Amino acid sequence: GAVVSQHPSWVICKSGTSVKIECRSLDFQATTMFWYRQFPKQSLMLMATSNEGSKATYEQGVEKDKFLINHASLTLSTLTVTSAHPEDSSFYICSANHQGLMNTEAFFGQGTRLTVV
Amino acid sequence: AQSVTQLDSQVPVFEEAPVELRCNYSSSVSVYLFWYVQYPNQGLQLLLKYLSGSTLVKGINGFEAEFNKSQTSFHLRKPSVHISDTAEYFCAVTFDGGFKTIFGAGTRLFVKA
C-alpha cells in the first residue's frame, strides 16, 4: 500500500529556533500534500495544501511566514516552523494523495510531536 | 458550506457491548467518507472508507459503517467492543473528489471492564 513517512516523529526545540518536519511518500508520487495540526484532545485542523513546484495554499488564520512549506519534489514536502514559541507545541501530521489514484483516501504520516521549551 | 459533525464527544461503553459512533456531514457535492482511529500519542489509522458502491462498508477490527445519503450520515458501529478499542475516532470527508480532507471533532470511545 501507499506509505507516507514523517520525520522526525518527535522533536524538542528551544523557543526562537526553527524546526523542519519532512513528509515523504515512499512508494508513490504526490503532487499534493496536506499539513494538519492537532492540539491535545482536539481534532485535526488543516493548515495548508502543499503543491509540488508551486506555492502552498494556506487556510485562513495560518501564518504563512511562520509555517513555511516547500514541496520541491513529487515525494517530499517540508514544513518549517520558524521562530518557534511554546504555543506552537502541537502534533503535526501530513497526508498525501496518490497521484495515480485520484479521488481516493489520503495517506497519513505518523505525525510529529513538537515541543517548544 | 461543507462540514463534518461528530455528535458525541465521548462515548463510554462496557466491554462486549455494541457501540455506534455518529457522524453527519453537510455538502452539496458528492463525498468520500472515512473513519480513522487514533491511539494516544500516535498517528491516524484508517478503519474503513466509502468511495462508491455498497453503502455498508466493513473495516478492520470488526468495525463497519453505513453510508446514508438521504440523512447525510456515516455512522460507525461495532457489535461487541473490547478494552483495546479505547481510542479517539475521527470521521473524515473528502468533498467532490477534491483532495482536502476535513475532520470531525472526534469521539473518544472509552471501553470499561
Side-chain angles (χ1 to χ4, degrees):
Chain A
V3 178
V4 174
S5 175
Q6 247 181 277
H7 179 79
S9 56
W10 62 270
V11 58
I12 301 173
C13 71
K14 290 185 177 180
S15 187
T17 62
S18 296
V19 175
K20 179 184 285 187
I21 303 170
E22 294 186 345
C23 179
R24 293 181 184 273
S25 56
L26 296 185
D27 50 0
F28 67 99
Q29 294 183 329
T31 54
T32 306
M33 293 184 176
F34 301 88
W35 288 96
Y36 294 83
R37 183 175 183 176
Q38 185 182 30
F39 289 106
K41 299 187 187 303
Q42 295 189 29
S43 187
L44 283 76
M45 300 302 297
L46 180 64
M47 298 175 66
T49 303
S50 172
N51 304 298
E52 186 269 335
S54 65
K55 291 182 179 180
T57 304
Y58 290 82
E59 296 299 303
Q60 192 172 12
V62 177
E63 298 176 63
K64 60 182 66 178
D65 293 331
K66 181 165 188 61
F67 299 100
L68 301 179
I69 292 173
N70 182 273
H71 195 152
S73 76
L74 287 172
T75 59
L76 174 64
S77 175
T78 61
L79 168 68
T80 301
V81 183
T82 63
S83 187
H85 292 285
E87 57 265 31
D88 298 324
S89 298
S90 189
F91 194 56
Y92 293 86
I93 303 177
C94 71
S95 72
N97 287 74
H98 194 305
Q99 186 181 19
L101 294 173
M102 294 181 70
N103 303 336
T104 62
E105 84 264 28
F107 298 94
F108 286 84
Q110 66 270 43
T112 297
R113 185 162 301 284
L114 170 63
T115 302
V116 184
V117 298
Chain B
Q2 298 164 338
S3 65
V4 181
T5 302
Q6 289 183 246
L7 298 167
D8 307 295
S9 59
Q10 294 185 70
V11 174
V13 64
F14 284 104
E15 193 175 18
E16 297 184 6
V19 71
E20 179 179 81
L21 307 183
R22 297 180 290 171
C23 174
N24 287 84
Y25 66 92
S26 173
S27 176
S28 58
V29 298
S30 60
V31 296
Y32 301 96
L33 301 154
F34 311 89
W35 275 99
Y36 291 90
V37 60
Q38 185 180 37
Y39 298 99
N41 298 312
Q42 294 188 28
L44 298 177
Q45 181 180 7
L46 179 68
L47 276 178
L48 47 78
K49 62 185 176 184
Y50 171 80
L51 303 179
S52 64
S54 173
T55 57
L56 181 63
V57 180
K58 293 190 182 299
I60 63 172
N61 301 341
F63 284 93
E64 64 178 31
E66 186 159 19
F67 171 51
N68 188 318
K69 188 175 182 180
S70 62
Q71 297 186 3
T72 61
S73 68
F74 190 55
H75 300 335
L76 180 71
R77 295 190 291 261
K78 186 170 182 177
S80 176
V81 295
H82 301 288
I83 297 287
S84 58
D85 292 323
T86 294
E88 190 83 20
Y89 291 80
F90 292 99
C91 178
V93 182
T94 302
F95 297 93
D96 195 22
F99 288 146
K100 277 188 188 180
T101 300
I102 297 176
F103 287 82
T107 297
R108 174 155 179 76
L109 175 64
F110 179 58
V111 181
K112 301 178 287 186

